[in-house]
Amino acid sequence: MSAAPQLVVHRDKELMAQAAAARLITKIVDAQATRGSASVVLTGGRNGNGLLAALAAAPARDAVDWGRLDLWWGDERFLPEGDPERNYTQAREALLDSVPLDPDRVHPMPAADGPYEADAAAEVYAARLAAAAGPEDHGEVPTFDVLMLGVGPDTHVASLFPELPAVRETERTVVGVHGAPKPPPTRITLTLPAIRAAREVWLLAAGEDKAKAAAIALSGAGEIQAPAAGAYGRSRTLWLLDAAAASQLPPELYPPAIA
């Protein structure tokens, strides 16, 4: 397991999104300077899309060489291409359509109106990840520079929900999810082994509805009951919160420093 998670607590969700976007720009630029390219895993939901929108509005976004950036997704709602509820659709609206990405380096998960059902689509995505992994990587996925995850009120991350089979997966890197407790019930998700291949894992939580989940995940809960507790990076695990989401954290473990 990586070192203990680091916490950064911001005053409100807007400031959190702006600061996280600036942090991500810096991380991408540094990776591109070091290795020639960067690899990022995006997350959907309120906080993930808020970060992408803040990145789109950031003056420093032009520091990124968008053509040398690989984008992957941590999970996807198994819906038809272009559905407004798909994470990929929302990411395009928030950021992707406004920056000069290389289409061959943008890797959305398969849609429900394609040739695959969810489990087969998960296998296809796993094969794409494996093909992108090099000899320097750890296993069947690339070593992502940053993998972002929104934390749900039930402590779910990606589409890894408490107690469901996907969170127990130890071998496969991508699986189909059936019977998810929030709609839509059918999804595709990276597993914890794939998530842990990232250099850095960033967990995003803003709002009072995330406070209990953050407290549970950061207080030593097991990953089967609290999937967010099992999400960590190879070199760094960073929790980015607003003051509301941090309001129930045990102060003796994580004294919040409001940024």
Side-chain angles (χ1 to χ4, degrees):
M1 183 171 174
S2 73
Q6 298 173 269
L7 270 71
V8 179
V9 181
H10 294 283
R11 187 173 57 247
D12 55 45
K13 65 181 180 181
E14 291 80 15
L15 192 60
M16 179 187 119
Q18 292 164 8
R23 188 183 292 270
L24 183 60
I25 290 169
T26 300
K27 188 60 61 176
I28 292 170
V29 170
D30 287 350
Q32 289 178 336
T34 303
R35 290 181 293 279
S37 64
S39 178
V40 172
V41 180
L42 300 182
T43 185
R46 185 176 71 209
N47 294 323
N49 290 322
L51 186 155
L52 293 183
L55 205 166
R61 80 178 203 184
D62 294 336
V64 172
D65 184 342
W66 295 99
R68 293 191 293 134
L69 176 65
D70 289 291
L71 292 179
W72 302 87
W73 270 260
D75 74 320
E76 187 55 276
R77 298 154 178 160
F78 198 57
L79 297 166
E81 185 69 36
D83 189 290
E85 292 300 309
R86 268 176 62 84
N87 290 335
Y88 176 55
T89 307
Q90 295 175 2
R92 286 188 59 177
E93 292 173 357
L95 172 68
L96 307 190
D97 285 348
S98 63
V99 291
L101 293 158
D102 178 349
D104 292 337
R105 301 182 80 158
V106 178
H107 308 281
M109 289 182 167
D113 54 350
Y116 310 106
E117 52 80 37
D119 293 333
E123 292 179 9
V124 167
Y125 206 66
R128 288 183 198 163
L129 286 164
E136 73 281 4
D137 293 312
H138 306 273
E140 294 296 302
V141 298
T143 304
F144 312 113
D145 290 296
V146 177
L147 184 149
M148 295 183 289
L149 297 166
V151 179
D154 61 353
T155 73
H156 85 266
V157 290
S159 285
L160 301 173
F161 293 92
E163 306 283 357
L164 289 193
V167 78
R168 302 176 185 270
E169 181 63 46
T170 59
E171 300 294 332
R172 292 176 293 173
T173 57
V174 191
V175 296
V177 175
H178 305 275
K182 61 180 290 190
T186 305
R187 296 157 173 260
I188 304 170
T189 187
L190 298 190
T191 61
L192 288 176
I195 288 168
R196 293 168 183 164
R199 288 185 176 86
E200 297 196 7
V201 169
W202 297 3
L203 296 107
L204 313 175
E208 290 181 14
D209 61 326
K210 307 296 178 70
K212 184 175 181 182
I216 290 170
L218 287 163
S219 297
E223 64 195 37
I224 305 300
Q225 294 77 30
Y232 47 84
R234 299 186 68 85
S235 63
R236 191 184 198 199
T237 306
L238 188 63
W239 280 72
L240 302 172
L241 308 105
D242 72 351
S247 61
Q248 294 185 34
L249 293 180
E252 70 278 8
L253 289 176
Y254 302 101
I258 302 297

